[in-house]
Amino acid sequence: MSLGPCACFFAFPVGKAEADRLDGEVREIEGRATFRMRRVPAGSHHVTLCFVPGMQKEWCEEVWKVAADFPAAGPLKFQLGPVEGLMGRGLCRLLLRKVRFEVERARMAQSQIGRGMREAGAGAEFSISEHYHVTLARMAGFVRASAVRAFLEKERSETITGTFETLAMVRSELTPEGPGYETMFEKAL
């Protein structure tokens, strides 16, 4: 990964057992699907709280110090809904599962992240997530939303429950082969 400005995000990583289950599920979908997709790498599933497209390396530690300065409240229980597609303009871009959890704790973390960005003097723009989900796969090329809807109508996905144990700051690099992630900092919830 490059050492200059980078894309990074703050997230609740999904635990290993749940991530393994998601990876198996997506492999099965991939085997039956009539469209091509790129799976999120096993062990990389997460719920993004804040995305920063141009973080300077020198800001990372300072932003993290403030973002992670919150009292530990323990693991955060979650529930993942059925597999669905992120549709727009007649195309599907992602397969995902929406997540349900105690939103107030996510908003508290997002507030700390914003404070960290301001206090560190990080002039980068950042976006706060409001639609919490776990991305399972990105479409490879242009895939019609109607094809994905028709496919998913036949699919049955079980509810997945688990707990988020940590908040993480992750460097992200999108490549033609898919995303590459590197956890920079992590703290127990």
Side-chain angles (χ1 to χ4, degrees), residues 77-89:
K77 292 180 183 179
F78 69 83
Q79 182 179 45
L80 299 178
V83 175
E84 55 186 273
L86 176 64
M87 315 293 184
R89 296 186 178 163

Side-chain angles (χ1 to χ4, degrees), residues 2-143:
S2 64
L3 295 177
C6 65
C8 74
F9 58 86
F10 295 83
F12 293 142
V14 172
K16 181 171 175 19
E18 295 87 359
D20 287 347
R21 217 171 137 190
L22 290 170
D23 189 56
E25 175 181 65
V26 177
R27 285 177 187 276
E28 288 178 20
I29 289 171
E30 189 176 43
R32 293 188 301 270
T34 56
F35 45 86
R36 290 188 21 229
M37 64 181 120
R38 290 187 300 273
R39 286 178 280 110
V40 169
S44 297
H45 297 94
H46 61 272
V47 172
T48 301
L49 301 176
C50 178
F51 180 73
V52 186
M55 177 75 85
Q56 295 292 332
K57 188 176 188 292
E58 62 269 17
W59 297 337
C60 293
E61 191 169 349
E62 290 302 311
V63 171
W64 177 253
K65 283 178 188 174
V66 176
D69 184 25
F70 59 85
L76 177 59
K77 292 180 183 179
F78 69 83
Q79 182 179 45
L80 299 178
V83 175
E84 55 186 273
L86 176 64
M87 315 293 184
R89 296 186 178 163
L91 299 174
C92 179
R93 297 185 326 211
L94 304 172
L95 286 185
L96 57 85
R97 278 178 172 254
K98 290 182 181 170
V99 64
R100 289 183 284 277
F101 61 102
E102 187 184 328
V103 173
E104 203 49 47
R105 286 187 56 195
R107 290 192 178 131
M108 181 180 75
Q110 290 169 319
S111 176
Q112 282 293 109
I113 294 162
R115 193 173 130 232
M117 294 290 288
R118 289 186 299 278
E119 288 185 15
E125 290 186 25
F126 60 98
S127 60
I128 298 290
S129 298
E130 295 179 8
H131 305 285
Y132 304 112
H133 67 273
V134 174
T135 300
L136 306 174
R138 289 175 173 77
M139 295 300 120
F142 296 101
V143 177

Side-chain angles (χ1 to χ4, degrees), residues 119-169:
E119 288 185 15
E125 290 186 25
F126 60 98
S127 60
I128 298 290
S129 298
E130 295 179 8
H131 305 285
Y132 304 112
H133 67 273
V134 174
T135 300
L136 306 174
R138 289 175 173 77
M139 295 300 120
F142 296 101
V143 177
R144 291 186 185 277
S146 58
V148 175
R149 275 192 206 99
F151 176 80
L152 290 176
E153 284 175 5
K154 299 174 197 162
E155 290 292 304
R156 297 287 176 250
S157 48
E158 296 178 22
T159 298
I160 295 177
T161 59
T163 56
F164 296 124
E165 304 282 339
T166 62
L167 172 68
M169 182 177 183

